[in-house]
């Protein structure tokens, strides 16, 4: 939200004039980059948590962990009953 607010202030300054645009633009860019970095970091943490959750569920069932096979999962979803090669 801070990045969006900073961008809006830059646009307002461009429209109305009388402001030092370069520092405002630089701040808006920094905030946008920080927001993007935090979004990626949150996604990575979410994926890690999903992996931990899956490992705990498998451990509770006494099952063996196997890597996720996207091809096999897609075939099972779209072609149930078909044996994969």
């Amino acid at each position: 939200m801070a990045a969006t607010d900073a961008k809006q202030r830059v646009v307002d300054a461009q429209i109305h004039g009388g402001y030092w645009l370069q520092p405002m633009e630089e701040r808006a860019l920094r905030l946008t980059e920080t927001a993007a970095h935090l979004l990626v970091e949150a996604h990575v943490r979410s994926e890690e948590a999903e992996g931990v959750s899956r490992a705990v569920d498998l451990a509770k069932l006494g099952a063996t962990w196997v890597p996720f096979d996207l091809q096999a999962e897609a075939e099972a979803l779209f072609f149930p009953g078909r044996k994969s090669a």
Side-chain angles (χ1 to χ4, degrees):
M1 290 186 72
T4 302
D5 182 51
K7 284 181 183 179
Q8 186 59 49
R9 287 178 189 224
V10 170
V11 170
D12 290 343
Q14 289 171 334
I15 292 170
H16 300 295
Y19 296 93
W20 292 343
L21 290 177
Q22 185 175 352
M24 293 178 78
E25 290 170 344
E26 289 171 359
R27 181 171 189 271
L29 179 61
R30 277 193 316 273
L31 288 170
T32 301
E33 289 173 351
T34 299
H37 174 75
L38 291 173
L39 180 63
V40 169
E41 186 70 22
H43 178 73
V44 168
R45 298 293 181 227
S46 173
E47 290 292 318
E48 289 173 347
E50 180 63 30
V52 169
S53 174
R54 183 171 179 238
V56 168
D57 289 343
L58 288 171
K60 286 179 181 178
L61 295 172
T64 303
W65 178 87
V66 293
F68 184 77
D69 182 352
L70 183 60
Q71 182 67 31
E73 294 293 327
E75 286 182 16
L77 178 64
F78 296 114
F79 307 106
R82 179 196 278 183
K83 301 290 183 199
S84 59

